[in-house]
């Protein structure tokens, strides 16, 4: 089960430490409006997919809420079918879809879950909730 903060499910981007801090800063600046996760993680954690309108607590490395985001889109897809539109909305500075795929492939491989084109993913889009 994923952490709950202030009655909301939590979103923990990337790996704890520098990566999470960088990704959270992109969300707070408005540049990052999307993220991608492995569908298998939902199953392993016994979690339902997010739904449009759901609010999530964005957590820092210490588990503190740094913002609230609201889900604006949820799409089940595969690694090979992620669109450039979604990848660009992640706001991480990738020049093209090939660079996005290479970076995400390295990340998941380092986390112990290598991905292939057919690996099921969940693509989320969101907005930062003002005043949180």
């Amino acid at each position: 089960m994923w952490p709950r903060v202030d009655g909301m499910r939590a979103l923990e981007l990337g790996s704890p430490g520098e990566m999470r801090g960088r990704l959270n800063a992109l969300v707070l600046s408005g540049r990052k409006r999307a993220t991608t996760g492995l569908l298998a993680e939902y199953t392993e954690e016994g979690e339902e997919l997010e739904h449009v309108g759901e609010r999530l607590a964005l957590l820092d490395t210490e588990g503190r809420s740094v913002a609230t985001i609201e889900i604006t889109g949820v799409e089940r897809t595969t690694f090979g079918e992620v669109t450039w539109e979604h990848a660009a909305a992640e706001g991480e500075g990738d020049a093209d879809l090939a660079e996005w795929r290479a970076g995400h492939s390295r990340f998941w491989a380092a986390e112990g879950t290598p991905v292939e084109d057919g690996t099921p993913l969940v693509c989320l889009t969101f907005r930062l909730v003002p005043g949180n």
Side-chain angles (χ1 to χ4, degrees):
M1 180 179 271
W2 294 340
R4 273 33 179 195
V5 175
D6 298 329
M8 295 179 282
R9 287 197 285 178
L11 178 62
E12 297 175 292
L13 296 172
S15 301
E18 183 276 329
M19 176 186 270
R20 183 162 302 152
R22 181 176 53 82
L23 295 175
N24 284 353
L26 290 170
V27 172
L28 296 173
S29 74
R31 286 189 52 205
K32 183 170 184 61
R33 303 174 326 277
T35 193
T36 307
L38 298 167
L39 181 60
E41 291 178 348
Y42 289 82
T43 304
E44 291 166 10
E45 295 289 332
E47 292 286 346
E48 298 290 325
L49 296 184
E50 291 84 356
H51 60 273
V52 172
E54 182 177 4
R55 290 186 173 195
L56 305 175
L58 182 66
L59 302 186
D60 66 12
T61 296
E62 288 77 37
R64 295 180 302 237
S65 179
V66 297
T68 300
I69 63 163
E70 183 176 318
I71 300 298
T72 58
V74 179
E75 180 185 5
R76 287 177 63 162
T77 190
T78 64
F79 184 68
E81 294 175 337
V82 172
T83 65
W84 171 239
E85 178 183 34
H86 178 79
E90 287 199 4
E92 297 175 33
D94 295 311
D96 55 30
L97 193 53
E99 188 174 330
W100 179 91
R101 285 189 174 134
H104 280 68
S105 182
R106 277 191 307 274
F107 171 76
W108 283 316
E111 295 288 308
T113 310
V115 295
E116 299 175 348
D117 280 352
T119 301
L121 302 178
V122 178
C123 293
L124 300 175
T125 55
F126 55 82
R127 70 175 190 89
L128 185 62
V129 176
N132 288 294

